[in-house]
């Protein structure tokens, strides 16, 4: 069995929708959020894949940041509607990841190849983009070890395990923050997504360049309208 990037993108979109349906309509049913953990690393891998194969890096980054701003209003309104103070949406995270990848490409000095991405990771964390510095780092790992699955598996396991254990420990010790501890415990389930990535056959499949970019803000518009029209849901 093998999968092309289009099929992986569909799985990423489906698991994202399941996650968001759980967030907005069934917050007490953990299964939705557990399935949803698979979504981010799949998108992260797709962004790394795009960074490797794009013919125009600048245009690719520009497209990401344009849709990040377009998406942010519906993203903000939908989260605000259920009482969540939202971060910057995930497209901002991917934009920072692409900046870090560019810095790795253009700087030949090894120190700068580490320092600049580290500064970008910290910036994403401080600006509270969705998945923050962990999300940027995950995308960098997918990019650097795209053709080495064993190293990807090892490093992504470290990223997603520590990326959830560290804030969980801080949360339990300080008893602060608005992230439920159980949510951090299910974070490492994201690693299941690597099974789909392992099956990647190197093929593109049907060309759907704008599928995710358009779908991402539209879903938040739909969620917001449903919540407004049917507030008792």
């Amino acid at each position: 069995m093998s999968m092309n990037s289009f099929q992986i993108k569909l799985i990423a979109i489906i698991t994202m929708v399941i996650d968001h349906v759980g967030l907005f309509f069934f917050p007490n049913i953990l299964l939705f959020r557990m399935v949803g953990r698979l979504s981010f690393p799949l998108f992260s891998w797709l962004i790394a894949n795009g960074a490797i194969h794009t013919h125009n890096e600048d245009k690719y980054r520009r497209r990401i940041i344009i849709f990040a701003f377009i998406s942010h209003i519906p993203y903000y309104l939908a989260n605000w509607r259920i009482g969540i103070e939202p971060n910057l949406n995930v497209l901002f995270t991917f934009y920072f990841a692409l900046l870090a990848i560019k810095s790795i490409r253009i700087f030949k000095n090894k120190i700068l190849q580490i320092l600049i991405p580290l500064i970008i990771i910290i910036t994403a964390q401080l600006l509270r983009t969705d998945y923050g510095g962990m999300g940027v780092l995950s995308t960098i790992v997918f990019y650097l070890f795209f053709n080495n699955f064993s190293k990807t598996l090892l490093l992504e396991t470290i990223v997603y395990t520590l990326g959830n254990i560290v804030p969980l420990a801080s949360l339990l010790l300080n008893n602060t923050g608005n992230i439920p501890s159980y949510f951090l415990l299910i974070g490492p389930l994201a690693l299941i997504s690597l099974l789909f990535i392992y099956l990647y056959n190197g093929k593109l499949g049907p060309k759907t360049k704008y599928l995710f970019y358009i779908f991402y803000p539209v879903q938040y518009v739909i969620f917001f309208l449903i919540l407004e029209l049917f507030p008792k849901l």
Side-chain angles (χ1 to χ4, degrees):
M1 180 181 176
S2 65
M3 304 186 73
N4 58 44
S5 61
F6 172 74
Q7 292 169 320
I8 293 174
K9 184 181 295 184
L10 284 182
I11 293 173
I13 289 174
I14 291 168
T15 52
M16 176 184 69
V17 171
I18 291 172
D19 183 52
H20 292 166
V21 167
L23 172 66
F24 291 109
F25 305 111
F26 305 103
N28 296 320
I29 302 179
L30 188 58
L31 181 61
F32 285 92
R33 310 309 308 279
M34 293 172 69
V35 173
R37 295 312 90 214
L38 276 64
S39 179
F40 178 82
L42 292 177
F43 280 123
S44 180
W45 177 86
L46 287 164
I47 291 294
N49 191 351
I52 291 169
H53 295 105
T54 184
H55 297 297
N56 190 323
E57 288 183 67
D58 293 335
K59 187 175 181 181
Y60 186 39
R61 285 193 307 276
R62 188 160 57 246
R63 182 164 66 245
I64 294 277
I65 195 62
I66 287 172
F67 277 95
F69 281 107
I70 290 173
S71 301
H72 200 66
I73 292 177
Y75 168 83
Y76 182 90
L77 289 174
N79 280 276
W80 167 81
R81 185 62 181 73
I82 60 172
I84 293 178
E85 181 182 351
N87 302 322
L88 293 176
N89 69 68
V90 74
L91 291 178
F92 287 101
T93 306
F94 291 142
Y95 177 73
F96 281 117
L98 290 174
L99 286 180
I101 288 170
K102 179 181 181 180
S103 73
I104 293 170
R105 280 183 170 177
I106 65 175
F107 291 112
K108 304 305 178 184
N109 184 287
K110 295 296 183 182
I111 295 176
L112 290 178
Q113 286 182 333
I114 296 173
L115 181 61
I116 302 302
L118 181 59
I119 292 173
I120 293 172
I121 288 170
I122 293 172
T123 300
Q125 188 68 32
L126 293 176
L127 291 178
R128 296 177 61 237
T129 68
D130 220 0
Y131 287 87
M134 183 189 78
V136 175
L137 181 57
S138 173
T139 310
I140 294 172
V141 168
F142 279 128
Y143 171 79
L144 291 176
F145 303 100
F146 194 81
N147 294 314
N148 190 325
F149 184 78
S150 59
K151 287 185 178 179
T152 296
L153 176 61
L154 173 62
L155 292 172
E156 293 291 2
T157 298
I158 293 172
V159 169
Y160 282 92
T161 301
L162 294 181
N164 287 276
I165 289 177
V166 171
L168 175 61
S170 176
L171 179 66
L172 294 176
L173 289 173
N174 300 316
N175 195 29
T176 59
N178 57 3
I179 303 176
S181 57
Y182 70 79
F183 189 74
L184 293 170
L185 285 171
I186 67 173
L189 290 175
L191 295 169
I192 295 173
S193 64
L194 294 175
L195 292 174
F196 299 107
I197 293 169
Y198 177 74
L199 296 173
Y200 177 55
N201 59 16
K203 297 179 180 179
L204 179 63
K207 293 183 178 181
T208 54
K209 180 187 295 186
Y210 289 94
L211 175 62
F212 170 66
Y213 301 122
I214 294 173
F215 185 87
Y216 185 67
V218 167
Q219 64 166 334
Y220 287 114
V221 172
I222 294 171
F223 292 144
F224 176 74
L225 290 176
I226 292 174
L227 290 167
E228 281 292 305
L229 295 173
F230 306 100
K232 294 185 179 180
L233 282 178

